[in-house]
Amino acid sequence: MVDKPAGPTSHDVVDRVRRALGTRRAGHTGTLDPFATGVLPVCLGKATRLARFLTGTDKTYRATLRLGFATNTDDLTGDPLGPPRAVEVSPEALDRACRALTGPLMQAAPAFSAKWVKGRRAYDLARVGIEAPRPVSPVTVHHIEVLGHEKDLIEIEVRCSAGTYVRALARDLGEALGTGGHLVPLRRTVSGPFTMSEAVAWDEIGPEARITAMAHLLPEMPAVTVTEPGLEALRHGRALDARLVAAGFPAAPPPPRLRVLDHAGNLIAVAVPQGFETPGPGLTLEPVLHPDIVLVD
């Protein structure tokens, strides 16, 4: 996990990790814009196969919004969309605007985003001046806490679902306040189970850097421990019945997925329960854990 500085892209961070650790198998789990900083989890080796589970987790950000005008990118890198407006925002109006943007929302993506529009990336269309409908996606903003407010600057902490654009949130907050607004600094402090306390600084990336073991990933999934025959079954991609599980075999209804551990507590697979539903008349089903991802050779 890297504490990304302002400037490099998320892909630049992954390239630096690859070179420093001498590995080709690396990938990040949630893009940060170049001007943004903070927690960027980077998966290595077999852990890259778990990236899809880590990408979809909640995130927490600290952000500063500048009121008075919007930009075409919804952040400090863009061009103003109009002349600056006077900013006189009361604490009560700010509280109302934050509450209105909390909860399940249908959020319009920024004009400059990686969303697909008519077969092209939105930012490709925006760069050549083609106006196109902005893709709208369901997101959840769990909370917005105002940390500071002075003149045209507002500092907030946001906890939100994956896929939420904080710069779009800044845009919408500015619109709700009637002043326009855009995102200035942005720092991600939490990404799923990862926090700043575990992140490695940019200049500390190297063989000596602290790496989180796979056994500590996906703690939200219940775990089962396999027997030695169960371990062999996984190596051949076979499903696990209750006889191949030493501990933790679920009862009905089971969770959507489970972590599979060996006797030493190492994460060796992610499995999907099958056959736990009530069978029809005259039918029998044997509950099994079907390997979705196998991490053991």
Side-chain angles (χ1 to χ4, degrees), residues 48-245:
T48 56
R49 303 184 64 189
L50 303 175
R52 61 187 169 106
F53 301 115
L54 301 171
T55 301
T57 56
D58 288 349
K59 314 289 192 295
T60 301
Y61 299 89
R62 286 201 170 195
T64 300
L65 287 55
R66 172 164 280 124
L67 303 179
F69 63 95
T71 70
N72 61 346
T73 60
D74 298 334
D75 60 41
L76 76 170
T77 67
D79 298 322
L81 294 178
R85 283 173 271 182
V87 175
E88 291 185 11
V89 175
S90 68
E92 294 77 17
L94 180 55
D95 180 65
R96 285 195 300 271
C98 288
R99 283 190 281 111
L101 289 169
T102 302
L105 306 171
M106 294 301 295
Q107 186 183 65
F112 286 79
S113 76
K115 296 283 189 179
W116 290 97
V117 180
K118 299 179 179 179
R120 296 178 65 182
R121 296 288 191 183
Y123 52 64
D124 288 331
L125 298 175
R127 284 169 182 160
V128 295
I130 298 176
E131 293 189 10
R134 297 188 182 189
V136 177
S137 303
V139 301
T140 300
V141 177
H142 300 292
H143 84 246
I144 303 175
E145 180 182 355
V146 177
L147 303 177
H149 177 201
E150 184 175 356
K151 297 181 180 179
D152 62 345
L153 295 177
I154 298 172
E155 185 180 2
I156 60 175
E157 181 176 81
V158 179
R159 185 167 65 87
C160 54
S161 63
T164 304
Y165 285 95
V166 181
R167 53 194 167 109
L169 199 59
R171 173 201 67 207
D172 295 342
L173 190 59
E175 290 179 1
L177 293 169
T179 65
H182 61 281
L183 184 65
V184 196
L186 178 67
R187 184 163 180 77
R188 185 158 66 195
T189 57
V190 180
S191 179
F194 304 112
T195 65
M196 286 302 310
S197 63
E198 304 162 290
V200 175
W202 174 258
D203 57 2
E204 294 176 352
I205 298 173
E208 304 297 321
R210 182 173 58 255
I211 298 175
T212 302
M214 285 196 297
H216 299 299
L217 302 180
L218 312 179
E220 71 279 6
M221 293 184 189
V224 301
T225 303
V226 296
T227 62
E228 285 298 325
L231 181 60
E232 286 303 312
L234 282 176
R235 285 196 171 102
H236 293 89
R238 298 200 303 269
L240 304 171
D241 60 29
R243 293 164 295 185
L244 297 175
V245 174

